Structure formats: structure tokens, C-alpha cells
């Protein structure tokens, strides 16, 4: 991969100004196949890598990175690669507190430059939102709010959704909260993206309607 300045290639395409990416995959094999070069090339060029993974797949994740030619122990040892489980991230404390995780997420993006890295490549496996814990229903509002944070940085943020596990309605809402999408292994500007100011109004209207319907019942 050829990179100059803050240019980043994902799935064979150079990423533009919008860097909040919704990536849809059919299983973990496709996820790693499509994102392998994004991860490895970032480490090769000296970028920080932060991965948020299913705790049950942490060792599998390390194995797949090693298979891609990455010296995992060295990258972990220097701090260039940071891998956390969901319970060390959005589900810390046994619940999802979107305000707390938004603050922590921004701290991750800030920590790269503070440690001397030009960019951070952030990858999150989003099935944490399927864990039966308080607050996970705020997933879509959180994804909407992430857009405000990502705009302040040059970092690439990939939210990976396994379509075999998420329902169509959640997947469609997730699609609408990201300006860029990977689908079928290809990256493209997302024509279904709804600006966050507008989508937050829609979310609040939905909640009002649901609350009204609940009071009638």
C-alpha cells in the first residue's frame, strides 16, 4: 500500500475526508480478509492500532494478525498495538454508558499523537451491542454521536458488524450513521448516510412515539 501524509487505504480504496466507516461482513473470516492490509500496512508505516474485540476471540484475533505477518508480541510490547476486550471498553462496569465510552473513545484517539503516532487506526467488533446488559439499546445514538468526535481527527474508525448476528433494522440504522461503508469487500461513500443533527432528531422522535405507545398500552 502506498501512503503519503495522512492518506489511508481501506479495502483497496483511498479513504477521503470522512473516516467513520461502517463495515458489514458475513463472519469473522471475511472481516479479517478484507481488513488485513488496513491493519498490517498501518503498523508497517508506524500508525497506532487500537482494536476492540470479542473477549472470546481475543486469542483468535492475535493468531490472525500473526498469520498476516504481524509481530504481535513486539507491537503489543511497544504499545503500537492495543487490543482490548469489550469489557475493557464499552461494557466496562457491566453496562454501556454512552457518555463515558464517548469520552474514553476520544481519549484513545488523543493518545496516539501523545505517544508520537501520526494516526490511530481504530477497529471495533460491534457485537458488544448484542450482549444482554443495560444501556446497549443506545448503540445507534452512540454511533450518531461518534461522527462529531471523528471529525476532529484524521484517524480511521471502522465499526465492524457481522450481518449473521445483527437484525436488518439495526444494520440499516448503523448504515445511516456512517458516511462511509464497506459492503461486499468494497469501500464507498455511503448514499444512505444521515447527518448526525438530523438523525438525532429522528431518534428522539422515535422515543417519543414509543413512550406514547407504551402509555396507551
Amino acid at each position: 500500500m502506498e501512503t503519503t501524509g495522512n492518506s489511508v487505504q481501506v479495502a483497496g480504496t483511498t479513504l477521503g475526508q470522512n473516516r467513520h466507516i461502517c463495515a458489514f461482513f458475513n463472519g469473522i473470516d471475511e472481516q479479517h480478509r478484507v481488513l488485513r492490509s488496513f491493519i498490517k500496512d498501518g503498523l508497517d508505516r508506524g500508525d497506532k492500532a487500537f482494536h476492540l474485540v470479542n473477549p472470546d476471540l481475543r486469542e483468535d484475533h492475535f493468531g490472525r494478525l500473526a498469520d498476516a505477518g504481524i509481530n504481535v508480541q513486539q507491537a503489543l510490547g511497544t504499545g503500537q498495538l492495543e487490543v482490548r476486550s469489550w469489557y475493557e471498553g464499552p461494557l466496562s462496569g457491566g453496562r454501556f454508558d454512552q457518555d463515558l465510552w464517548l469520552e474514553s473513545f476520544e481519549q484513545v484517539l488523543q493518545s496516539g499523537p501523545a505517544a508520537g503516532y501520526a494516526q490511530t487506526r481504530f477497529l471495533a467488533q460491534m457485537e458488544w451491542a448484542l450482549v444482554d446488559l443495560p444501556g446497549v439499546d443506545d448503540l445507534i445514538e452512540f454511533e450518531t454521536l461518534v461522527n462529531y468526535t471523528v471529525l476532529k481527527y484524521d484517524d480511521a474508525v471502522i465499526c465492524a458488524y457481522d450481518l449473521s448476528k445483527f437484525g436488518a433494522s439495526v444494520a440499516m440504522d448503523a448504515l445511516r450513521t456512517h458516511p462511509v461503508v464497506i459492503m461486499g469487500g468494497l469501500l464507498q461513500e455511503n448514499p444512505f448516510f444521515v447527518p448526525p443533527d438530523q438523525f438525532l432528531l429522528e431518534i428522539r422522535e422515535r422515543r417519543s412515539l414509543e413512550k406514547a405507545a407504551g402509555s396507551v398500552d
Side-chain angles (χ1 to χ4, degrees):
M1 179 185 75
E2 295 296 327
T3 57
T4 58
N6 287 330
S7 69
V8 176
Q9 280 201 353
V10 185
T13 301
T14 300
L15 194 59
Q17 185 177 2
N18 293 318
R19 299 197 165 195
H20 185 205
I21 306 162
C22 186
F24 292 122
F25 302 109
N26 290 297
I28 197 71
D29 290 342
E30 183 186 6
Q31 179 188 137
H32 278 275
R33 186 177 68 253
V34 173
L35 298 182
R36 182 185 295 120
S37 63
F38 167 77
I39 296 169
K40 185 177 188 304
D41 294 340
L43 291 168
D44 287 347
R45 67 175 280 182
D47 290 345
K48 166 91 175 186
F50 184 98
H51 298 169
L52 194 62
V53 302
N54 182 337
D56 295 333
L57 297 177
R58 189 174 188 141
E59 292 306 316
D60 175 77
H61 188 75
F62 289 145
R64 290 173 185 268
L65 296 183
D67 290 343
I70 295 167
N71 188 328
V72 175
Q73 291 307 314
Q74 180 181 11
L76 289 170
T78 62
Q80 185 184 8
L81 171 63
E82 190 171 348
V83 178
R84 293 191 195 174
S85 81
W86 298 332
Y87 298 100
E88 300 168 294
L91 301 182
S92 176
R95 60 175 292 113
F96 177 57
D97 182 327
Q98 74 166 342
D99 293 332
L100 181 62
W101 179 234
L102 274 169
E103 182 180 340
S104 298
F105 167 70
E106 184 157 16
Q107 287 173 355
V108 170
L109 300 188
Q110 291 172 341
S111 69
Y117 298 103
Q119 290 188 69
T120 297
R121 299 190 183 206
F122 186 102
L123 169 63
Q125 296 174 348
M126 299 301 292
E127 287 77 46
W128 60 261
L130 300 175
V131 179
D132 186 16
L133 286 174
V136 295
D137 289 345
D138 290 332
L139 167 68
I140 299 303
E141 182 175 3
F142 166 75
E143 284 279 43
T144 306
L145 293 170
V146 164
N147 286 294
Y148 296 119
T149 301
V150 174
L151 279 174
K152 296 188 281 185
Y153 303 90
D154 287 328
D155 304 318
V157 175
I158 298 181
C159 304
Y161 286 82
D162 187 336
L163 290 176
S164 68
K165 297 178 180 178
F166 282 95
S169 62
V170 174
M172 190 62 204
D173 275 346
L175 179 65
R176 297 175 71 203
T177 60
H178 295 75
V180 187
V181 62
I182 296 173
M183 191 175 293
L186 300 173
L187 179 138
Q188 59 186 328
E189 294 294 318
N190 180 12
F192 300 103
F193 174 63
V194 179
D197 287 355
Q198 180 181 338
F199 203 64
L200 286 171
L201 287 174
E202 181 178 327
I203 290 171
R204 286 160 188 158
E205 287 173 1
R206 284 186 200 175
R207 286 178 176 166
S208 295
L209 289 172
E210 289 168 0
K211 186 176 181 180
S215 63
V216 170
D217 292 342

